[in-house]
């Protein structure tokens, strides 16, 4: 071997990023901040929730369950929640968690200067109001709300609220400005080089809330890796090359790359459905699309198994319900969706008085969502029954703008995850004159959604959600297609990882030597 | 000369002002609301409106422009809407990777291209010329990302000679820094090798047909001396012009190369900013790029008189 080549190989070996029990994970986007629930997006939440924890967190089924709390007691009038803290929980700086920390964190969140994402969810602006909080002893924290609310704990556990994380007061500087997260999570904040990477290291003093198996954000959460480096890699082909070469040990991957990566001997790929919903939106205020028969014709024109197979690279399963397929509320009624019936579609078009008016479908070409491929199949299926549909491709920011203004006829779109069905329905329901982005403007349905937010009985809630599902199917203000998919490719040396709700949970994950 | 320089620098300011106005209007008049992106899809219209107000996006366009222009005049490019980091700090942070790629690419392209161009001109019409010019057409025709992925596949994945992606700061050592830049440099440089080689060939070939070259030949001047001292120097002006254009065009190429090789440079910074409508970053980067572009042109113009004393400003 010639000398320069030998030198190159030696230097390349020196530049190798992987060390024992440390892994490099590719992520598509940098974090916006390390301030949980403040300047955030999904990637930021994902990272933050490895570092911090709340009193309650979601379990695998999407239910809010105790996390830093050992138990939560609800008063008979349904307004007072008493959280008893787990014993011996430590912050990353070694301090022991007490109710004083919970009180400090809550007061900080409710201070408008903090700009917490969810302040308005608890101060009455969104209907729910926390009237008082207190810390009667070191292990007890009490919250009183203005009226019973079935979603109070769920809202506390929301990932975009960063689980209402309990932080140590040393997370902020003496002048009150943000410094870095000192939480109770299994990993500690490491280093952040903007636009390039961010890291976290194992918290040796971590007390796992559960033993045995992984369960959402609760369950067993041991930090078994020494360090995790999240490397920002934008391009899917670059991610693929990194995985194949071994420079990366794990990454979310596109459904279109799953088959190829499965064939790489050093890699394995895990695929699981999540609570994201891929959908077709229809603007009911539009002069053409306001016709219910036309909307029903559109729903009947779609061959759902074929459409979903094409849009998801044969990985997805049709689901016409706003409730995601692995939810505890996804029952027999929710399994009943639209029926593919081209003859009926043509008949409905006649009844609608449709005369070939052009209908525009908005779509974008972001590789992480099936907006464009789904729109192409949608267009073909509509044309097959005589609907004059055309696609207009926009960049994502423009499409989102059109969505928020309600300025469209139809869109191939995706809704982010909502665990509780009440919030899943509320996401697209409401008065369009006040909130133009709302898709379904039906006061009766809104009353049912509001009711479901107040009652806690699961059977009663199920009846409401079943009724709402039937109405969505009948009125067709939008068409739910299938749930999002988490496709994660990783080195075969990695074990213990489980994809869940697009979160790259690094606890219980190990890397073989 | 001095008055020419002052005049050109003044025109640089004018160009940057016009670019600033154009980019500002283009961005703010196009669809897309950064406040809605920041707020996320849980947000109510009131929450989005609050964010717009906080960011000053609900002020009249003229007020927003005035505020931005006033800051720029004071040397402040503003703060990123999404990360709350000063734009100048973000640009400085990303400058080293981008400069590294750009400088190495130009060194690689110019050294290879000039040699090949002179060789092709000297052997004009012969198989060597045809081979070199064929290669240059190929280099120019291949899209940057195709070249990049092919090189990654061969040299990083199959042969494992070079890192597949990423960037190492020069402070981490020249070795890792250089190794991480080999493939991006070749990827980006190939098109410029082709461009400059063709221009060099044409210019040198034209000079080789001049009487004084014939005289030099008749006097028995060695081929190397004749080519490098007489022909190349006299063919320098158009070559320098193409190199100058190449440096300016490099800015576009860097964006793709940085994406393919995952280099955290300015190109990637601005692409991310465009997708999120992070106005201050887009405006700041384009303003800086336009300034660099104009200054490169100025440097090229000034270099003419160094190569050809007959050219005076």
């Amino acid at each position: 071997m010639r000398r320069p080549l030998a030198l190159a190989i030696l230097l390349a070996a020196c530049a190798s990023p992987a060390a024992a029990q440390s892994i490099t994970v590719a992520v598509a986007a940098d974090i916006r901040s390390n301030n949980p629930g403040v300047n955030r997006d999904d990637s930021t939440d994902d990272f933050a929730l490895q570092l911090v924890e709340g009193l309650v967190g979601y379990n695998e089924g999407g239910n809010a369950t105790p996390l830093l709390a050992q138990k939560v007691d609800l008063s008979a009038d349904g307004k007072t929640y008493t959280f008893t803290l787990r014993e011996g929980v430590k912050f990353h700086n070694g301090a022991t968690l007490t109710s004083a920390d919970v009180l400090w964190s809550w007061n900080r969140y409710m201070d408008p200067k903090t700009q917490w994402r969810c302040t308005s969810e608890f101060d009455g602006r969104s209907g729910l109001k926390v009237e008082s909080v207190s810390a009667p002893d070191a292990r007890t924290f009490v919250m009183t709300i203005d009226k019973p609310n079935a979603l109070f704990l769920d809202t506390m556990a929301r990932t975009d609220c960063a689980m209402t994380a309990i932080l140590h007061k040393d997370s902020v500087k003496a002048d009150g400005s943000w410094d870095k997260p000192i939480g109770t999570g299994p990993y500690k904040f490491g280093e952040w080089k903007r636009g390039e990477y961010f890291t976290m290291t194992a918290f040796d003093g971590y007390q796992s809330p559960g033993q045995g198996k992984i369960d959402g954000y609760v369950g067993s959460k041991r930090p078994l890796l020494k360090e995790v480096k999240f490397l920002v890699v934008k391009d899917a082909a670059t991610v693929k090359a990194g995985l194949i070469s071994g420079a990366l040990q794990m990454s979310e991957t596109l459904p279109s790359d799953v088959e190829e990566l499965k064939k790489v001997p050093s890699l394995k790929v895990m695929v699981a459905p999540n609570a994201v919903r891929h959908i077709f939106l229809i603007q009911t205020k539009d002069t053409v699309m306001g016709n219910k028969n036309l909307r029903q014709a559109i729903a009947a024109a779609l061959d759902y198994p074929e459409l979903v197979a094409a849009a998801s690279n044969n990985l997805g399963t049709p689901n016409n319900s706003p409730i995601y397929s692995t939810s505890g509320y996804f029952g027999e009624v929710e399994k009943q969706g639209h029926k593919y019936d081209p003859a009926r579609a043509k008949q409905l078009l006649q009844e609608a008085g449709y005369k070939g008016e052009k209908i525009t479908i908005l779509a974008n070409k972001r590789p992480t969502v099936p907006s464009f491929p789904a729109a192409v199949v949608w267009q073909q299926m509509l044309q097959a029954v005589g609907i004059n549909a055309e696609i207009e491709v926009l960049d994502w920011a423009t499409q989102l703008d059109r969505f928020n203004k309600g300025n469209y006829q139809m869109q191939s779109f995706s809704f982010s995850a909502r665990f509780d069905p009440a919030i899943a329905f509320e996401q697209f329901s409401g008065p369009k004159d006040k909130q133009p982005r709302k898709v379904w403007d039906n006061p009766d349905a809104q009353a049912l959604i509001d009711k479901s937010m107040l009652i806690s009985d699961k059977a009663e809630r199920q009846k409401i959600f079943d009724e709402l599902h039937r109405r969505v199917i009948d009125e067709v203000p939008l068409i739910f297609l299938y749930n999002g998919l988490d496709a994660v490719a990783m080195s075969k040396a990695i074990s213990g990882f489980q994809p869940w709700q697009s979160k790259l949970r690094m606890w219980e994950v190990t890397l073989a030597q | 000369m001095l008055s020419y320089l002052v005049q050109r620098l003044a025109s640089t300011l004018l160009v940057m002002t016009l670019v600033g106005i154009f980019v500002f209007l283009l961005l703010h008049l196009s669809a897309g609301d950064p406040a809605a992106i920041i707020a996320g899809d849980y947000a109510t219209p009131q929450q989005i409106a609050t964010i717009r107000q906080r960011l000053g996006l609900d002020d009249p366009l003229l007020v927003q422009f005035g505020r931005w222009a006033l800051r720029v005049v004071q040397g402040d490019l503003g703060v990123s809407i999404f990360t709350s980091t000063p734009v100048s700090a973000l640009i400085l942070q990303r400058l080293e990777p981008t400069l590294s790629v750009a400088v190495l690419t130009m060194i690689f392209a110019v050294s290879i291209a000039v040699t090949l161009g002179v060789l092709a001109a000297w052997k004009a019409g012969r198989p060597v010329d045809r081979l070199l010019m064929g290669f240059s057409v190929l280099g120019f025709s291949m899209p940057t990302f195709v070249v990049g992925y092919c090189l990654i596949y061969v040299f990083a994945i199959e042969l494992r000679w070079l890192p597949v992606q990423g960037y190492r700061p020069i402070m981490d050592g020249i070795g890792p820094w250089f190794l991480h830049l080999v493939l991006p440099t070749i990827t980006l440089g190939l098109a410029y090798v082709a461009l400059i080689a063709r221009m060099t060939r044409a210019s040198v070939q034209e000079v080789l047909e001049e009487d004084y070259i014939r005289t030099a030949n008749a006097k028995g001047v060695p081929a190397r001396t004749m080519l490098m001292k007489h022909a190349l120097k006299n063919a320098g002006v158009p070559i320098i012009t193409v190199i100058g254009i190449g440096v300016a065009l490099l800015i576009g190429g860097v964006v793709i190369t940085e994406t393919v090789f995952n280099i955290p440079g300015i190109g990637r910074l601005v692409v991310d900013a465009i997708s999120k409508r992070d106005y201050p970053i887009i405006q700041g980067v384009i303003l800086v790029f336009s300034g660099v572009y104009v200054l490169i042109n100025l440097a090229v113009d000034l270099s003419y008189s160094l190569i050809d004393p007959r050219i005076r400003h």
Side-chain angles (χ1 to χ4, degrees):
Chain A
M1 195 182 288
R2 290 189 181 120
R3 269 176 125 186
L5 182 58
L7 180 68
I9 292 169
L10 182 68
L11 287 169
C14 293
S16 171
Q21 294 295 352
S22 295
I23 66 168
T24 303
V25 180
V27 287
D30 193 10
I31 52 173
R32 282 196 196 164
S33 78
N34 62 5
N35 192 349
V38 177
N39 185 4
R40 46 74 51 195
D41 58 9
D42 285 345
S43 308
T44 311
D45 298 339
D46 194 7
F47 181 57
L49 294 176
Q50 322 250 10
L51 315 173
V52 299
E53 295 174 321
L55 294 172
V56 289
Y58 288 125
N59 65 10
E60 207 83 0
N63 300 311
T65 42
L67 178 51
L68 286 178
Q70 189 173 39
K71 60 174 183 154
V72 184
D73 295 313
L74 179 60
S75 64
D77 65 1
K79 295 202 292 189
T80 301
Y81 289 80
T82 303
F83 299 87
T84 305
L85 303 184
R86 277 169 41 219
E87 273 188 289
V89 174
K90 302 275 187 195
F91 284 105
H92 296 157
N93 61 0
T96 302
L97 171 76
T98 69
S99 60
D101 301 302
V102 183
L103 186 60
W104 178 86
S105 296
W106 180 258
N107 288 336
R108 174 179 172 269
Y109 286 135
M110 297 314 284
D111 182 348
K113 283 185 204 152
T114 304
Q115 295 181 8
W116 184 39
R117 164 81 186 83
C118 295
T119 307
S120 62
E121 303 292 333
F122 295 99
D123 66 2
R125 278 181 281 169
S126 300
L128 167 66
K129 187 174 184 186
V130 175
E131 290 195 319
S132 68
V133 292
S134 62
D137 63 57
R139 283 190 59 207
T140 309
F141 186 69
V142 182
M143 303 179 85
T144 305
I145 56 177
D146 58 342
K147 53 181 183 261
N149 189 309
L151 296 177
F152 176 62
L153 292 180
D154 186 273
T155 310
M156 295 264 290
R158 264 168 45 180
T159 54
D160 63 319
C161 303
M163 221 189 272
T164 318
I166 308 307
L167 296 162
H168 191 269
K169 62 179 188 294
D170 288 352
S171 300
V172 299
K173 295 174 190 164
D175 63 0
S177 63
W178 178 253
D179 186 15
K180 65 175 182 180
I182 299 174
T184 60
Y187 286 94
K188 296 188 287 185
F189 178 71
E191 187 189 356
W192 179 22
K193 196 160 181 192
R194 284 178 193 271
E196 205 171 334
Y197 64 82
F198 44 96
T199 68
M200 59 187 193
T201 55
F203 173 36
D204 295 333
Y206 184 67
Q207 289 241 341
S208 178
Q211 303 295 326
K213 67 179 197 116
I214 291 181
D215 185 13
Y217 281 119
V218 295
S220 192
K221 293 176 71 176
R222 293 172 301 161
L224 302 177
L225 293 166
K226 187 178 160 195
E227 185 187 50
V228 183
K229 180 178 185 178
F230 294 94
L231 188 69
V232 182
V233 189
K234 297 277 174 189
D235 185 60
T238 309
V239 168
K240 210 157 56 175
L243 287 166
I244 294 168
S245 71
L248 300 171
Q249 279 78 54
M250 186 189 284
S251 175
E252 284 196 277
T253 188
L254 300 177
S256 54
D257 288 336
V258 167
E259 279 310 307
E260 186 187 344
L261 289 173
K262 273 183 179 173
K263 290 174 187 157
V264 178
S266 61
L267 299 176
K268 60 183 175 183
V269 185
M270 299 176 85
V271 181
N274 58 40
V276 168
R277 287 137 304 153
H278 300 305
I279 45 179
F280 291 153
L281 301 178
I282 303 174
Q283 180 50 276
T284 53
K285 279 181 80 176
D286 180 79
T287 48
V288 178
M289 307 314 301
N291 189 319
K292 184 175 158 184
N293 283 338
L294 174 59
R295 298 199 303 270
Q296 287 177 333
I298 288 170
L302 303 183
D303 181 344
Y304 293 92
E306 193 179 320
L307 192 158
V308 171
S312 69
N313 292 80
N314 296 309
L315 296 172
T317 307
N319 175 13
N320 290 144
S321 171
I323 301 172
Y324 67 99
S325 59
T326 50
S327 162
Y329 287 97
F330 187 80
E332 286 305 313
V333 173
E334 284 69 30
K335 286 177 188 166
Q336 307 302 315
H338 299 290
K339 298 280 183 298
Y340 172 51
D341 188 344
R344 167 124 180 94
K346 285 176 184 169
Q347 186 195 333
L348 283 164
L349 284 178
Q350 273 191 341
E351 290 170 19
Y354 177 70
K355 293 185 175 62
E357 294 94 332
K358 188 180 79 180
I359 300 172
T360 304
I361 301 168
L362 302 186
N364 70 80
K365 285 191 173 176
R366 284 187 301 163
T368 49
V369 289
S371 174
F372 184 69
V376 170
V377 183
W378 189 16
Q379 181 195 29
Q380 293 300 314
M381 289 178 175
L382 293 183
Q383 285 176 348
V385 296
I387 295 173
N388 178 16
E390 72 167 32
I391 299 173
E392 184 182 348
V393 178
L394 304 171
D395 78 312
W396 168 235
T398 307
Q399 190 182 358
L400 182 65
D401 195 49
R402 299 271 295 266
F403 167 75
N404 280 325
K405 289 175 178 157
N407 179 17
Y408 60 90
Q409 284 186 299
M410 301 201 291
Q411 294 204 38
S412 180
F413 204 77
S414 297
F415 278 152
S416 61
R418 297 289 187 273
F419 291 143
D420 190 275
I423 303 177
F425 278 101
E426 192 276 336
Q427 190 176 22
F428 59 89
S429 311
K432 293 192 183 209
D433 53 344
K434 288 181 184 155
Q435 298 193 55
R437 72 191 172 119
K438 294 292 186 182
V439 183
W440 192 26
D441 191 350
N442 180 329
D444 293 341
Q446 193 57 49
L448 282 173
I449 295 167
D450 292 343
K451 188 179 170 191
S452 74
M453 291 182 176
L454 296 176
I455 55 173
S456 302
D457 184 78
K458 187 169 185 265
E460 280 298 306
R461 298 186 90 211
Q462 184 73 62
K463 279 184 199 164
I464 294 173
F465 299 139
D466 290 351
E467 176 58 23
L468 287 168
H469 172 82
R470 288 190 197 96
R471 291 188 186 200
V472 168
I473 294 295
D474 177 57
E475 293 180 30
V476 203
L478 73 175
I479 299 170
F480 288 86
L481 300 174
Y482 68 105
N483 290 118
L485 295 161
D486 292 329
V488 184
M490 68 200 86
S491 159
K492 278 185 177 164
I494 285 179
S495 56
F497 178 82
Q498 284 179 30
W500 177 73
Q501 302 302 342
S502 304
K503 306 296 180 201
L504 294 171
R505 297 171 299 176
M506 287 299 139
W507 48 87
E508 299 295 329
V509 175
T510 55
L511 179 73
Q513 295 286 338
Chain B
M1 179 74 173
L2 190 66
S3 66
Y4 173 77
L5 197 63
V6 171
Q7 197 184 349
R8 287 294 301 269
L9 285 173
S11 71
T12 303
L13 289 177
L14 180 69
V15 168
M16 288 178 72
T17 306
L18 290 174
V19 167
I21 294 170
F22 179 72
V23 170
F24 186 91
L25 290 177
L26 192 71
L27 285 173
H28 285 77
L29 293 177
S30 63
D33 182 0
I37 298 173
I38 288 172
D41 60 358
Y42 264 108
T44 61
Q46 290 74 27
Q47 288 168 328
I48 295 172
T50 305
I51 294 172
R52 287 183 64 79
Q53 194 180 14
R54 178 161 55 83
L55 297 173
L57 294 171
D58 56 349
D59 291 334
L61 207 56
L62 204 61
V63 174
Q64 291 185 56
F65 179 74
R67 197 164 45 217
W68 177 69
L70 199 66
R71 278 195 196 135
V72 170
V73 168
Q74 294 167 346
D76 178 4
L77 293 174
V79 173
S80 160
I81 289 174
F82 286 83
T83 63
S84 307
T85 312
V87 173
S88 49
L90 286 171
I91 292 175
L92 279 177
Q93 200 179 58
R94 307 294 188 96
L95 196 61
E96 188 198 307
T98 301
L99 264 184
S100 299
V101 174
V103 169
L104 276 188
T105 299
M106 285 324 288
I107 292 172
F108 165 76
V110 171
S111 56
I112 302 278
V114 171
T115 311
L116 294 183
V118 170
L119 189 65
W122 184 36
K123 302 286 182 189
R126 296 190 193 167
V128 176
D129 175 35
R130 291 202 186 100
L131 187 72
L132 291 176
M133 288 306 104
F135 163 77
S136 97
V137 169
L138 189 71
F140 205 70
S141 319
M142 295 248 287
T144 308
F145 66 92
V146 173
V147 176
Y149 290 130
C150 289
L151 291 177
I152 287 173
Y153 182 75
V154 175
F155 294 102
I157 293 176
E158 287 298 314
L159 298 173
R160 294 182 179 264
W161 289 356
L162 294 161
V164 68
Q165 56 190 239
Y167 175 77
R168 285 297 175 91
I170 201 161
M171 295 299 284
D172 287 2
I174 294 284
W177 172 80
F178 182 72
L179 280 178
H180 280 82
L181 289 174
V182 171
L183 293 182
T185 298
I186 297 171
T187 302
L188 187 56
L190 215 54
Y192 298 104
V193 168
L195 179 73
I196 299 166
R198 287 190 76 83
M199 181 52 76
T200 306
R201 179 190 178 274
S203 301
V204 172
Q205 198 184 3
E206 198 180 317
V207 173
L208 285 177
E209 286 165 8
E210 295 285 339
D211 289 344
Y212 63 88
I213 296 290
R214 201 172 297 120
T215 308
N217 255 328
K219 283 170 66 182
V221 173
R224 188 175 164 183
T225 310
M226 187 190 67
L227 283 171
M228 303 310 288
K229 194 175 170 187
H230 299 295
L232 185 59
K233 193 176 173 191
N234 285 298
V237 170
I239 297 170
I240 291 287
T241 306
V242 171
I243 292 172
I245 293 169
V247 173
L249 291 175
L250 209 63
I251 291 165
V254 158
V255 173
I256 299 167
T257 312
E258 285 179 357
T259 304
V260 170
F261 290 97
N262 200 38
I263 295 170
I266 294 176
R268 240 180 58 181
L269 175 72
V270 76
V271 169
D272 291 351
I274 290 168
S275 65
K276 289 187 290 194
R277 301 292 193 272
D278 199 333
Y279 298 142
I281 292 183
I282 306 168
Q283 289 160 189
V285 171
I286 292 180
L287 205 61
V288 170
F289 275 4
S290 69
V292 170
Y293 192 96
V294 176
L295 289 175
I296 288 169
N297 271 309
L298 177 61
V300 168
D301 284 354
L302 293 176
S303 70
Y304 290 160
S305 58
L306 296 175
I307 297 166
D308 189 346
R310 289 171 297 179
I311 300 172
R312 287 278 176 268
H313 298 296

